[in-house]
Amino acid sequence: MKIIFFGPPGSGKGTQAKLFSEEIGIPHLSTGDILREKLKFKDKLSIKLQKIMSSGNLVSDSLLNEIISDKLSSNDCLNGFILDGYPRTIAQSDFLLSFLKINNQRLDLIFDFEIDFKIIEKRILNRSKEERRSDDNLDVIKTRLDAYMKETFPVSKFYSEKFRDIYFTIDASKDIEEISRELLKISKKVEI
Ligand code: AMP
């Protein structure tokens, strides 16, 4: 299955995408995780990335598109993929849709996590204590939520119209187990 998880930072989509990936045996491609791996190299690129990511702004479309096209072309993704954190801009969405078209592939399922931004702020501040991410503090959260509203929300809106039959909004304020069950239930329905 080829699946996209949309949702603002801190909505829990990363946790759910990971659990869902383990449940259905399809690779989880989190662009945030892939970029954080790159930070470990301490090279020129990582210094640049660190600066952008710790400010809460988005990394360039060209780098993200390159990362995703490499991943989606790899054998790991022969049976599908779960995209978490991509596409995040119109340019990334255009790239993805043309990549799928050229490769004769189509999306099977889209989840869009919806949640009050006040709950997100609380969640991210808690996560900052557990995971020590440099992009988890109030100022940066604000920048990340602004970037989401400005760049990503229009993309998810477009998908909600273009892919109406496979697009599902998820109430991300529910607890982890309940959401997991809901995602599985929806995926089984769509498979039939
Ligand atoms: P995430 O873990 O998905 O919240 O991503 C952490 C950070 O990585 C974001 O705040 C961005 O700086 C960067 N990032 C992740 N995915 C993308 C993307 N698709 N486009 C641009 N920047 C991204």
Side-chain angles (χ1 to χ4, degrees):
M1 289 188 100
K2 298 175 188 68
I3 306 168
I4 298 180
F5 277 62
F6 281 116
S11 61
K13 71 175 179 352
T15 303
Q16 290 295 342
K18 187 168 177 283
L19 290 170
F20 194 64
S21 151
E22 286 159 7
E23 186 72 43
I24 67 169
I26 298 278
H28 170 212
L29 303 179
S30 154
T31 47
D33 286 350
I34 295 167
L35 292 169
R36 277 184 289 279
E37 275 301 307
K38 290 191 182 296
L39 295 182
K40 294 182 183 158
F41 288 104
K42 305 280 173 222
D43 55 6
K44 237 173 148 182
L45 174 66
S46 80
I47 296 165
K48 221 169 127 186
L49 286 178
Q50 174 70 46
K51 216 172 144 193
I52 301 171
M53 290 169 71
S54 59
S55 71
N57 287 304
L58 295 183
V59 174
S60 75
D61 290 327
S62 57
L63 177 64
L64 266 298
N65 289 341
E66 194 185 317
I67 289 174
I68 285 300
S69 101
D70 281 355
K71 291 276 179 196
L72 299 191
S73 309
S74 77
N75 286 343
D76 292 353
C77 292
L78 280 179
N79 290 326
F81 48 78
I82 295 173
L83 288 175
D84 162 17
Y86 181 97
R88 236 163 161 123
T89 64
I90 299 277
Q92 292 176 19
S93 164
D94 288 347
F95 182 86
L96 175 67
L97 295 179
S98 71
F99 180 96
L100 294 174
K101 197 169 178 192
I102 289 166
N103 291 287
N104 219 3
Q105 298 180 356
R106 62 176 177 78
L107 294 169
D108 298 296
L109 194 48
I110 299 165
F111 293 123
D112 195 353
F113 284 53
E114 286 185 339
I115 190 163
D116 190 309
F117 281 10
K118 282 276 161 245
I119 302 179
I120 293 182
E121 287 179 7
K122 257 196 220 150
R123 279 190 183 176
I124 295 191
L125 288 177
N126 282 337
R127 185 171 72 185
S128 72
K129 286 177 205 142
E130 286 158 20
E131 296 180 19
R132 297 180 172 279
R133 275 175 52 167
S134 60
D135 58 351
D136 280 349
N137 67 60
L138 260 187
D139 279 348
V140 180
I141 295 166
K142 205 180 161 317
T143 308
R144 296 172 70 205
L145 291 175
D146 284 350
Y148 171 79
M149 282 314 290
K150 194 164 153 252
E151 305 280 355
T152 314
F153 182 70
V155 179
S156 63
K157 179 103 188 36
F158 170 74
Y159 281 63
S160 72
E161 286 155 12
K162 184 173 168 69
F163 299 102
R164 199 169 300 161
D165 297 346
I166 56 163
Y167 173 94
F168 298 86
T169 51
I170 303 297
D171 175 357
S173 65
K174 291 183 184 164
D175 66 43
I176 293 183
E177 287 77 20
E178 199 178 340
I179 296 176
S180 294
R181 279 198 299 274
E182 189 180 345
L183 301 189
L184 267 181
K185 207 168 143 193
I186 294 172
S187 72
K188 288 200 173 114
K189 251 197 244 160
V190 170
E191 254 177 338
I192 302 164

